Amino acid sequence: MEGLLNQLFEQNELTKEEIIYFLQHLTPDLTKRLFRLAEETRKKHYDENVFLRGLIEFSNFCKQDCMYCGLRRSNSNVERYRLTEEEILECAAEGYNLGYRSFVLQSGEDFRFTEEVMIRMVTKMKIRFPDAAITLSIGERSEAFYRALYAAGTDRYLLRHETASRTLYESLHPWMSYDNRMNCLQILRGIGYQVGAGFMVGLPGQTSQHLAEDLLFLKKFHPEMIGIGPFIPHSATPLKDAVGGTVQDTLVMIAMARLLVPDALMPATTAMGTLDPIGREKALSAGANVVMPILSPLKVRKKYALYENKICMGDDAALCRNCIELRIAASGYNIELSRGDHCNFLRKT
């Protein structure tokens, strides 16, 4: 086991069989060392910096029906909302005034936000905030859409692969195509985006083999951003009675992903903080280096419920930033409010 961990740290590589064996034989002492080596690896590329992104959740409408998601179209209990273009720009302006230079626009797969609407939105943001990076996280769209939004100035695109197992993916995503999901990621990469992928830990039916496949997919695809969080059951979904993922298991995945893809930007997710009051801090100490405070208006925050009991629902943007900055500083890290590009990324002109 020590040999496998040393190999993972020094060569950033393990086989599928080695990953499975490693996961099945982890001891508390070895886990602590895994976390230390992940943090050491992160420091080589990003020092002690933790990058802040202002998150704007602008619509909770979604055409998909994912088995685990509280926003699934079959959930009739959701009070749906869409922010107007003006409201989105106001959120970004507030974040910009607070010092953010990186914004994430996230929604369900809401096709009311057409290519034309999104181009107009991104263009306005780039004019008003020319030194800020814009990330979209709005699901599967066409190649033409992705190309048009990149041309309009979008810098990054987050599209978690959710699981690299075709069988598990299809069991969780009715009427969705595993091949299309993977193809979208390849298209985004080919266009020139900084691309984000990732998966959930603790999904029903997920095994060590599935997790090994996820890690190896990330190793091969080498995304600029990797989002890994625990599965948290929602009471209005078919998986409401599932056990869910744990903070500890998720930390192991974050640390292993850090060692396999050493230069990735990796968020300490809100879901981690939902399960554990210091879950995000634990994620930072296991190799994560991004935090995304919410900029959405207070009136809609509780409506964007991928899972329940989400933290930070009642804090305004200024208080949210102050809170997370205090937490980050107390953990010994530096707060970085710049664009926070990937360490090897060349800015487009």
Side-chain angles (χ1 to χ4, degrees), residues 52-68:
L52 299 191
R53 293 30 170 133
L55 176 62
I56 304 171
E57 297 164 330
F58 64 91
S59 169
N60 69 351
F61 282 84
C62 191
K63 67 188 286 286
Q64 304 295 1
D65 214 21
C66 304
M67 304 288 278
Y68 48 79

mmCIF file with all atom_site columns, all heavy atoms in Angstrom, residues 52-68:
data_model
loop_
_atom_site.group_PDB
_atom_site.id
_atom_site.type_symbol
_atom_site.label_atom_id
_atom_site.label_alt_id
_atom_site.label_comp_id
_atom_site.label_asym_id
_atom_site.label_entity_id
_atom_site.label_seq_id
_atom_site.pdbx_PDB_ins_code
_atom_site.Cartn_x
_atom_site.Cartn_y
_atom_site.Cartn_z
_atom_site.occupancy
_atom_site.B_iso_or_equiv
_atom_site.pdbx_formal_charge
_atom_site.auth_seq_id
_atom_site.auth_comp_id
_atom_site.auth_asym_id
_atom_site.auth_atom_id
_atom_site.pdbx_PDB_model_num
ATOM 1   N N   . LEU A 1 52 ? -11.560 32.191 -5.538  1.00 0.00 ? 52 LEU A N   1
ATOM 2   C CA  . LEU A 1 52 ? -12.990 32.393 -5.336  1.00 0.00 ? 52 LEU A CA  1
ATOM 3   C C   . LEU A 1 52 ? -13.678 32.669 -6.667  1.00 0.00 ? 52 LEU A C   1
ATOM 4   O O   . LEU A 1 52 ? -13.206 33.474 -7.474  1.00 0.00 ? 52 LEU A O   1
ATOM 5   C CB  . LEU A 1 52 ? -13.240 33.558 -4.380  1.00 0.00 ? 52 LEU A CB  1
ATOM 6   C CG  . LEU A 1 52 ? -12.693 33.443 -2.955  1.00 0.00 ? 52 LEU A CG  1
ATOM 7   C CD1 . LEU A 1 52 ? -13.265 34.542 -2.072  1.00 0.00 ? 52 LEU A CD1 1
ATOM 8   C CD2 . LEU A 1 52 ? -12.993 32.085 -2.343  1.00 0.00 ? 52 LEU A CD2 1
ATOM 9   N N   . ARG A 1 53 ? -14.801 32.000 -6.900  1.00 0.00 ? 53 ARG A N   1
ATOM 10  C CA  . ARG A 1 53 ? -15.656 32.249 -8.065  1.00 0.00 ? 53 ARG A CA  1
ATOM 11  C C   . ARG A 1 53 ? -17.038 32.651 -7.566  1.00 0.00 ? 53 ARG A C   1
ATOM 12  O O   . ARG A 1 53 ? -17.600 31.981 -6.694  1.00 0.00 ? 53 ARG A O   1
ATOM 13  C CB  . ARG A 1 53 ? -15.865 30.986 -8.889  1.00 0.00 ? 53 ARG A CB  1
ATOM 14  C CG  . ARG A 1 53 ? -14.788 30.303 -9.659  1.00 0.00 ? 53 ARG A CG  1
ATOM 15  C CD  . ARG A 1 53 ? -13.431 30.268 -9.353  1.00 0.00 ? 53 ARG A CD  1
ATOM 16  N NE  . ARG A 1 53 ? -12.691 29.330 -10.189 1.00 0.00 ? 53 ARG A NE  1
ATOM 17  C CZ  . ARG A 1 53 ? -11.548 29.636 -10.778 1.00 0.00 ? 53 ARG A CZ  1
ATOM 18  N NH1 . ARG A 1 53 ? -11.058 30.852 -10.669 1.00 0.00 ? 53 ARG A NH1 1
ATOM 19  N NH2 . ARG A 1 53 ? -10.882 28.731 -11.468 1.00 0.00 ? 53 ARG A NH2 1
ATOM 20  N N   . GLY A 1 54 ? -17.575 33.711 -8.108  1.00 0.00 ? 54 GLY A N   1
ATOM 21  C CA  . GLY A 1 54 ? -18.920 34.119 -7.738  1.00 0.00 ? 54 GLY A CA  1
ATOM 22  C C   . GLY A 1 54 ? -19.942 33.311 -8.523  1.00 0.00 ? 54 GLY A C   1
ATOM 23  O O   . GLY A 1 54 ? -19.959 33.346 -9.753  1.00 0.00 ? 54 GLY A O   1
ATOM 24  N N   . LEU A 1 55 ? -20.809 32.586 -7.813  1.00 0.00 ? 55 LEU A N   1
ATOM 25  C CA  . LEU A 1 55 ? -21.763 31.675 -8.444  1.00 0.00 ? 55 LEU A CA  1
ATOM 26  C C   . LEU A 1 55 ? -23.136 32.332 -8.570  1.00 0.00 ? 55 LEU A C   1
ATOM 27  O O   . LEU A 1 55 ? -23.709 32.796 -7.583  1.00 0.00 ? 55 LEU A O   1
ATOM 28  C CB  . LEU A 1 55 ? -21.867 30.396 -7.620  1.00 0.00 ? 55 LEU A CB  1
ATOM 29  C CG  . LEU A 1 55 ? -22.885 29.346 -8.071  1.00 0.00 ? 55 LEU A CG  1
ATOM 30  C CD1 . LEU A 1 55 ? -22.546 28.821 -9.461  1.00 0.00 ? 55 LEU A CD1 1
ATOM 31  C CD2 . LEU A 1 55 ? -22.934 28.204 -7.058  1.00 0.00 ? 55 LEU A CD2 1
ATOM 32  N N   . ILE A 1 56 ? -23.655 32.352 -9.797  1.00 0.00 ? 56 ILE A N   1
ATOM 33  C CA  . ILE A 1 56 ? -24.987 32.900 -10.061 1.00 0.00 ? 56 ILE A CA  1
ATOM 34  C C   . ILE A 1 56 ? -25.860 31.774 -10.614 1.00 0.00 ? 56 ILE A C   1
ATOM 35  O O   . ILE A 1 56 ? -25.683 31.334 -11.750 1.00 0.00 ? 56 ILE A O   1
ATOM 36  C CB  . ILE A 1 56 ? -24.933 34.067 -11.062 1.00 0.00 ? 56 ILE A CB  1
ATOM 37  C CG1 . ILE A 1 56 ? -23.978 35.152 -10.560 1.00 0.00 ? 56 ILE A CG1 1
ATOM 38  C CG2 . ILE A 1 56 ? -26.328 34.654 -11.287 1.00 0.00 ? 56 ILE A CG2 1
ATOM 39  C CD1 . ILE A 1 56 ? -23.696 36.253 -11.591 1.00 0.00 ? 56 ILE A CD1 1
ATOM 40  N N   . GLU A 1 57 ? -26.801 31.290 -9.812  1.00 0.00 ? 57 GLU A N   1
ATOM 41  C CA  . GLU A 1 57 ? -27.708 30.218 -10.212 1.00 0.00 ? 57 GLU A CA  1
ATOM 42  C C   . GLU A 1 57 ? -28.955 30.875 -10.796 1.00 0.00 ? 57 GLU A C   1
ATOM 43  O O   . GLU A 1 57 ? -29.863 31.264 -10.070 1.00 0.00 ? 57 GLU A O   1
ATOM 44  C CB  . GLU A 1 57 ? -28.025 29.338 -9.001  1.00 0.00 ? 57 GLU A CB  1
ATOM 45  C CG  . GLU A 1 57 ? -26.761 28.654 -8.455  1.00 0.00 ? 57 GLU A CG  1
ATOM 46  C CD  . GLU A 1 57 ? -26.918 28.086 -7.055  1.00 0.00 ? 57 GLU A CD  1
ATOM 47  O OE1 . GLU A 1 57 ? -27.710 28.644 -6.266  1.00 0.00 ? 57 GLU A OE1 1
ATOM 48  O OE2 . GLU A 1 57 ? -26.216 27.097 -6.742  1.00 0.00 ? 57 GLU A OE2 1
ATOM 49  N N   . PHE A 1 58 ? -29.006 30.983 -12.115 1.00 0.00 ? 58 PHE A N   1
ATOM 50  C CA  . PHE A 1 58 ? -29.966 31.904 -12.727 1.00 0.00 ? 58 PHE A CA  1
ATOM 51  C C   . PHE A 1 58 ? -31.278 31.273 -13.175 1.00 0.00 ? 58 PHE A C   1
ATOM 52  O O   . PHE A 1 58 ? -32.219 31.970 -13.526 1.00 0.00 ? 58 PHE A O   1
ATOM 53  C CB  . PHE A 1 58 ? -29.316 32.674 -13.883 1.00 0.00 ? 58 PHE A CB  1
ATOM 54  C CG  . PHE A 1 58 ? -28.871 31.828 -15.047 1.00 0.00 ? 58 PHE A CG  1
ATOM 55  C CD1 . PHE A 1 58 ? -29.738 31.586 -16.104 1.00 0.00 ? 58 PHE A CD1 1
ATOM 56  C CD2 . PHE A 1 58 ? -27.593 31.304 -15.101 1.00 0.00 ? 58 PHE A CD2 1
ATOM 57  C CE1 . PHE A 1 58 ? -29.339 30.823 -17.189 1.00 0.00 ? 58 PHE A CE1 1
ATOM 58  C CE2 . PHE A 1 58 ? -27.179 30.540 -16.188 1.00 0.00 ? 58 PHE A CE2 1
ATOM 59  C CZ  . PHE A 1 58 ? -28.055 30.295 -17.226 1.00 0.00 ? 58 PHE A CZ  1
ATOM 60  N N   . SER A 1 59 ? -31.368 29.941 -13.176 1.00 0.00 ? 59 SER A N   1
ATOM 61  C CA  . SER A 1 59 ? -32.636 29.294 -13.514 1.00 0.00 ? 59 SER A CA  1
ATOM 62  C C   . SER A 1 59 ? -32.651 27.886 -12.934 1.00 0.00 ? 59 SER A C   1
ATOM 63  O O   . SER A 1 59 ? -31.653 27.162 -13.015 1.00 0.00 ? 59 SER A O   1
ATOM 64  C CB  . SER A 1 59 ? -32.817 29.211 -15.038 1.00 0.00 ? 59 SER A CB  1
ATOM 65  O OG  . SER A 1 59 ? -33.918 28.376 -15.369 1.00 0.00 ? 59 SER A OG  1
ATOM 66  N N   . ASN A 1 60 ? -33.811 27.496 -12.372 1.00 0.00 ? 60 ASN A N   1
ATOM 67  C CA  . ASN A 1 60 ? -33.929 26.120 -11.871 1.00 0.00 ? 60 ASN A CA  1
ATOM 68  C C   . ASN A 1 60 ? -34.875 25.278 -12.729 1.00 0.00 ? 60 ASN A C   1
ATOM 69  O O   . ASN A 1 60 ? -35.296 24.207 -12.317 1.00 0.00 ? 60 ASN A O   1
ATOM 70  C CB  . ASN A 1 60 ? -34.350 26.103 -10.397 1.00 0.00 ? 60 ASN A CB  1
ATOM 71  C CG  . ASN A 1 60 ? -35.781 26.583 -10.186 1.00 0.00 ? 60 ASN A CG  1
ATOM 72  O OD1 . ASN A 1 60 ? -36.429 27.085 -11.103 1.00 0.00 ? 60 ASN A OD1 1
ATOM 73  N ND2 . ASN A 1 60 ? -36.277 26.432 -8.975  1.00 0.00 ? 60 ASN A ND2 1
ATOM 74  N N   . PHE A 1 61 ? -35.198 25.763 -13.919 1.00 0.00 ? 61 PHE A N   1
ATOM 75  C CA  . PHE A 1 61 ? -35.921 24.938 -14.888 1.00 0.00 ? 61 PHE A CA  1
ATOM 76  C C   . PHE A 1 61 ? -34.938 23.930 -15.492 1.00 0.00 ? 61 PHE A C   1
ATOM 77  O O   . PHE A 1 61 ? -33.783 24.267 -15.756 1.00 0.00 ? 61 PHE A O   1
ATOM 78  C CB  . PHE A 1 61 ? -36.506 25.796 -16.017 1.00 0.00 ? 61 PHE A CB  1
ATOM 79  C CG  . PHE A 1 61 ? -37.762 26.523 -15.642 1.00 0.00 ? 61 PHE A CG  1
ATOM 80  C CD1 . PHE A 1 61 ? -37.702 27.744 -14.989 1.00 0.00 ? 61 PHE A CD1 1
ATOM 81  C CD2 . PHE A 1 61 ? -39.014 25.996 -15.952 1.00 0.00 ? 61 PHE A CD2 1
ATOM 82  C CE1 . PHE A 1 61 ? -38.860 28.428 -14.646 1.00 0.00 ? 61 PHE A CE1 1
ATOM 83  C CE2 . PHE A 1 61 ? -40.180 26.675 -15.615 1.00 0.00 ? 61 PHE A CE2 1
ATOM 84  C CZ  . PHE A 1 61 ? -40.102 27.891 -14.952 1.00 0.00 ? 61 PHE A CZ  1
ATOM 85  N N   . CYS A 1 62 ? -35.404 22.714 -15.729 1.00 0.00 ? 62 CYS A N   1
ATOM 86  C CA  . CYS A 1 62 ? -34.521 21.713 -16.343 1.00 0.00 ? 62 CYS A CA  1
ATOM 87  C C   . CYS A 1 62 ? -35.338 20.729 -17.159 1.00 0.00 ? 62 CYS A C   1
ATOM 88  O O   . CYS A 1 62 ? -36.357 20.207 -16.693 1.00 0.00 ? 62 CYS A O   1
ATOM 89  C CB  . CYS A 1 62 ? -33.714 20.956 -15.283 1.00 0.00 ? 62 CYS A CB  1
ATOM 90  S SG  . CYS A 1 62 ? -32.398 19.932 -16.004 1.00 0.00 ? 62 CYS A SG  1
ATOM 91  N N   . LYS A 1 63 ? -34.884 20.468 -18.377 1.00 0.00 ? 63 LYS A N   1
ATOM 92  C CA  . LYS A 1 63 ? -35.563 19.533 -19.266 1.00 0.00 ? 63 LYS A CA  1
ATOM 93  C C   . LYS A 1 63 ? -35.238 18.087 -18.940 1.00 0.00 ? 63 LYS A C   1
ATOM 94  O O   . LYS A 1 63 ? -35.918 17.167 -19.399 1.00 0.00 ? 63 LYS A O   1
ATOM 95  C CB  . LYS A 1 63 ? -35.191 19.830 -20.729 1.00 0.00 ? 63 LYS A CB  1
ATOM 96  C CG  . LYS A 1 63 ? -33.741 19.562 -21.066 1.00 0.00 ? 63 LYS A CG  1
ATOM 97  C CD  . LYS A 1 63 ? -33.378 20.053 -22.473 1.00 0.00 ? 63 LYS A CD  1
ATOM 98  C CE  . LYS A 1 63 ? -33.948 19.165 -23.561 1.00 0.00 ? 63 LYS A CE  1
ATOM 99  N NZ  . LYS A 1 63 ? -33.225 17.878 -23.680 1.00 0.00 ? 63 LYS A NZ  1
ATOM 100 N N   . GLN A 1 64 ? -34.190 17.869 -18.138 1.00 0.00 ? 64 GLN A N   1
ATOM 101 C CA  . GLN A 1 64 ? -33.768 16.507 -17.823 1.00 0.00 ? 64 GLN A CA  1
ATOM 102 C C   . GLN A 1 64 ? -34.482 15.976 -16.579 1.00 0.00 ? 64 GLN A C   1
ATOM 103 O O   . GLN A 1 64 ? -35.112 16.735 -15.839 1.00 0.00 ? 64 GLN A O   1
ATOM 104 C CB  . GLN A 1 64 ? -32.250 16.449 -17.644 1.00 0.00 ? 64 GLN A CB  1
ATOM 105 C CG  . GLN A 1 64 ? -31.462 16.960 -18.836 1.00 0.00 ? 64 GLN A CG  1
ATOM 106 C CD  . GLN A 1 64 ? -31.627 16.114 -20.093 1.00 0.00 ? 64 GLN A CD  1
ATOM 107 O OE1 . GLN A 1 64 ? -32.364 15.116 -20.115 1.00 0.00 ? 64 GLN A OE1 1
ATOM 108 N NE2 . GLN A 1 64 ? -30.973 16.519 -21.175 1.00 0.00 ? 64 GLN A NE2 1
ATOM 109 N N   . ASP A 1 65 ? -34.342 14.669 -16.345 1.00 0.00 ? 65 ASP A N   1
ATOM 110 C CA  . ASP A 1 65 ? -35.069 14.027 -15.255 1.00 0.00 ? 65 ASP A CA  1
ATOM 111 C C   . ASP A 1 65 ? -34.124 13.114 -14.446 1.00 0.00 ? 65 ASP A C   1
ATOM 112 O O   . ASP A 1 65 ? -34.484 11.985 -14.093 1.00 0.00 ? 65 ASP A O   1
ATOM 113 C CB  . ASP A 1 65 ? -36.234 13.204 -15.816 1.00 0.00 ? 65 ASP A CB  1
ATOM 114 C CG  . ASP A 1 65 ? -37.434 13.202 -14.876 1.00 0.00 ? 65 ASP A CG  1
ATOM 115 O OD1 . ASP A 1 65 ? -37.535 14.105 -14.031 1.00 0.00 ? 65 ASP A OD1 1
ATOM 116 O OD2 . ASP A 1 65 ? -38.261 12.279 -14.993 1.00 0.00 ? 65 ASP A OD2 1
ATOM 117 N N   . CYS A 1 66 ? -32.930 13.606 -14.172 1.00 0.00 ? 66 CYS A N   1
ATOM 118 C CA  . CYS A 1 66 ? -31.913 12.818 -13.480 1.00 0.00 ? 66 CYS A CA  1
ATOM 119 C C   . CYS A 1 66 ? -32.447 12.311 -12.141 1.00 0.00 ? 66 CYS A C   1
ATOM 120 O O   . CYS A 1 66 ? -33.084 13.057 -11.384 1.00 0.00 ? 66 CYS A O   1
ATOM 121 C CB  . CYS A 1 66 ? -30.655 13.643 -13.270 1.00 0.00 ? 66 CYS A CB  1
ATOM 122 S SG  . CYS A 1 66 ? -29.977 14.326 -14.815 1.00 0.00 ? 66 CYS A SG  1
ATOM 123 N N   . MET A 1 67 ? -32.189 11.063 -11.857 1.00 0.00 ? 67 MET A N   1
ATOM 124 C CA  . MET A 1 67 ? -32.801 10.378 -10.730 1.00 0.00 ? 67 MET A CA  1
ATOM 125 C C   . MET A 1 67 ? -32.442 10.972 -9.371  1.00 0.00 ? 67 MET A C   1
ATOM 126 O O   . MET A 1 67 ? -33.170 10.795 -8.400  1.00 0.00 ? 67 MET A O   1
ATOM 127 C CB  . MET A 1 67 ? -32.405 8.903  -10.755 1.00 0.00 ? 67 MET A CB  1
ATOM 128 C CG  . MET A 1 67 ? -32.749 8.178  -12.040 1.00 0.00 ? 67 MET A CG  1
ATOM 129 S SD  . MET A 1 67 ? -34.529 7.904  -12.217 1.00 0.00 ? 67 MET A SD  1
ATOM 130 C CE  . MET A 1 67 ? -34.729 6.438  -11.204 1.00 0.00 ? 67 MET A CE  1
ATOM 131 N N   . TYR A 1 68 ? -31.320 11.667 -9.293  1.00 0.00 ? 68 TYR A N   1
ATOM 132 C CA  . TYR A 1 68 ? -30.802 12.146 -8.005  1.00 0.00 ? 68 TYR A CA  1
ATOM 133 C C   . TYR A 1 68 ? -31.042 13.637 -7.761  1.00 0.00 ? 68 TYR A C   1
ATOM 134 O O   . TYR A 1 68 ? -30.778 14.136 -6.671  1.00 0.00 ? 68 TYR A O   1
ATOM 135 C CB  . TYR A 1 68 ? -29.282 11.901 -7.944  1.00 0.00 ? 68 TYR A CB  1
ATOM 136 C CG  . TYR A 1 68 ? -28.553 12.362 -9.190  1.00 0.00 ? 68 TYR A CG  1
ATOM 137 C CD1 . TYR A 1 68 ? -28.258 13.700 -9.402  1.00 0.00 ? 68 TYR A CD1 1
ATOM 138 C CD2 . TYR A 1 68 ? -28.186 11.448 -10.173 1.00 0.00 ? 68 TYR A CD2 1
ATOM 139 C CE1 . TYR A 1 68 ? -27.617 14.119 -10.549 1.00 0.00 ? 68 TYR A CE1 1
ATOM 140 C CE2 . TYR A 1 68 ? -27.534 11.858 -11.328 1.00 0.00 ? 68 TYR A CE2 1
ATOM 141 C CZ  . TYR A 1 68 ? -27.250 13.197 -11.509 1.00 0.00 ? 68 TYR A CZ  1
ATOM 142 O OH  . TYR A 1 68 ? -26.630 13.609 -12.653 1.00 0.00 ? 68 TYR A OH  1
#
